[in-house]
Amino acid sequence: MAEVPQRDIVTLTINPAVDISTSVSKMVPYTKMRCAAPQRDPGGGGINVARVLKRLGFEATAVYPAGGATGQTLTALVEREAVRSIVIPISNDTREDITIFDETSKEQFRLVFPGACLNEFEWQQCLDAIARLSPQAAFVIASGSLPPGAPADFYGRVVRASTGAAKVVVDTSGASLKAALEAGVYLIKPNLREFQELAGISGADESSLLEAGRRLIDRYRIEIIALSMGPGGALLLTRDIALRANGLPLEPVSVSGAGDSFLGAMVSRLANGDKLDSALRYGVAGGSAALLSPGTGLCLGADVHRLASNVNVTIIAGYHA
């Protein structure tokens, strides 16, 4: 398919971080462990999605709050990846998160700290930025957890602040996701646990997931549910169609950022005007490609394109929402 003219893509990360990743020969309690040189990456859901879009040839504007010395580091790291950004100054320091890879057990340990507390003026500035940008945007993508100080219905406010023709994509969980759904969204990308929590189910068999998806689409008028299931692949549900994609048998180097890579790669195809099967294929390829990058490096564009040809997408027969 020929590429369509690009409209803006805007991402919002209300709880960003500087992600520090390293490795040790073996994790041992009460022992001084010598670490490899640290790798620092800009982190937080929307920032990660913007990073992935950039690698796949799509420009995105990343909106995020930042404060203190860590906030300055975050801004420099985002600029290093040539991602456009609108930075909302805040009084508290941006958080750091730490990922440690145990070279002996091949296990990854992820230490996630509380985000910088925002006051009402600061989080409202983020919403105001979305309101200014969204009339020219094809997509507004709000992703990640909420920091202290942000209202519980913040993502619902993001949806209401997004005006014009922008399609709103939300990737969060729990009460934050429900608040967004009540306001109306175009696409959500839960993982299996988040989907089960949202739908109030415990089953993971395909029929249970499809039935739960039907109920959610009917209740909230969601246009697309992209359900990522790790090695199990993914499902994409709309009112009219259900698609299944296989997972790829890869040995993970890291699991950090797989969901953000999935979403960024999927949106890249939707922004390009591709059909849903192509979007799902690239989503799975993006999430899989992230497993090949150490630490919080996210997927690489070349890996996404290469792996996409190995993802099979099939229509689930007899599905009607």
Side-chain angles (χ1 to χ4, degrees):
M1 176 180 292
E3 289 194 1
V4 299
Q6 287 190 29
R7 293 178 63 214
D8 291 344
I9 300 173
V10 178
T11 73
L12 173 61
T13 311
I14 194 62
N15 198 18
V18 171
D19 287 333
I20 302 173
S21 56
T22 186
S23 63
V24 296
S25 60
K26 185 177 182 180
M27 293 287 285
V28 181
Y30 310 114
T31 300
K32 182 183 293 185
M33 293 172 284
R34 301 293 180 182
C35 301
Q39 171 184 319
R40 286 179 172 83
D41 293 299
I47 289 174
N48 285 343
V49 171
R51 292 167 64 196
V52 171
L53 285 165
K54 180 69 177 182
R55 295 174 188 188
L56 293 173
F58 289 78
E59 294 291 341
T61 299
V63 178
Y64 59 92
T70 314
Q72 293 177 1
T73 299
L74 174 63
T75 300
L77 291 171
V78 173
E79 291 175 350
R80 183 185 69 184
E81 300 210 18
V83 171
R84 297 181 309 201
S85 62
I86 293 178
V87 182
I88 308 301
I90 60 173
S91 56
N92 290 318
D93 287 356
T94 298
R95 64 176 172 156
E96 293 177 318
D97 291 337
I98 301 173
T99 298
I100 304 172
F101 180 72
D102 184 319
E103 297 171 352
T104 299
S105 68
K106 307 301 182 184
E107 295 176 317
Q108 190 178 57
F109 298 83
R110 303 170 68 184
L111 308 179
V112 179
F113 295 95
C117 185
L118 304 185
N119 60 42
E120 182 176 354
F121 177 79
E122 291 165 347
W123 58 256
Q124 185 62 54
Q125 287 289 102
C126 295
L127 294 177
D128 291 346
I130 294 299
R132 291 194 306 272
L133 295 169
S134 61
Q136 291 77 45
F139 294 91
V140 171
I141 305 168
S143 180
S145 59
L146 295 183
D153 68 342
F154 180 80
Y155 281 118
R157 300 181 190 225
V158 172
V159 176
R160 291 188 289 273
S162 302
T163 57
K167 296 177 178 178
V168 183
V169 178
V170 175
D171 185 10
T172 189
S173 60
S176 297
L177 177 56
K178 288 186 178 180
L181 293 177
E182 294 289 352
V185 300
Y186 169 70
L187 183 153
I188 62 173
K189 192 220 66 63
N191 61 30
L192 180 59
R193 176 187 56 78
E194 292 165 345
F195 182 85
Q196 290 170 323
E197 178 184 359
L198 176 64
I201 64 172
S202 58
D205 59 285
E206 188 173 276
S207 61
S208 296
L209 297 176
L210 293 179
E211 178 59 32
R214 291 187 187 99
R215 293 196 301 268
L216 290 172
I217 289 171
D218 183 61
R219 177 177 178 181
Y220 294 112
R221 302 292 187 257
I222 310 163
E223 292 195 38
I224 300 175
I225 298 175
L227 170 56
S228 59
M229 299 184 291
L235 295 176
L236 186 148
L237 310 177
T238 73
R239 179 161 297 280
D240 301 316
I241 194 171
L243 302 175
R244 179 197 302 113
N246 63 294
L248 299 178
L250 299 173
E251 186 69 29
V253 175
S254 170
V255 298
S256 296
D260 297 329
S261 294
F262 181 108
L263 182 57
M266 168 172 275
V267 171
S268 77
R269 294 299 91 199
L270 294 174
N272 196 54
D274 288 15
K275 294 181 179 180
L276 292 179
D277 60 340
S278 175
L280 181 59
R281 182 176 296 109
Y282 265 77
V284 172
S288 300
L291 305 180
L292 304 178
S293 296
T296 50
L298 303 179
C299 63
L300 299 179
D303 289 333
V304 176
H305 293 302
R306 174 175 58 84
L307 293 175
S309 62
N310 297 326
V311 179
N312 296 316
V313 176
T314 57
I315 297 175
I316 300 175
Y319 171 84
H320 298 285

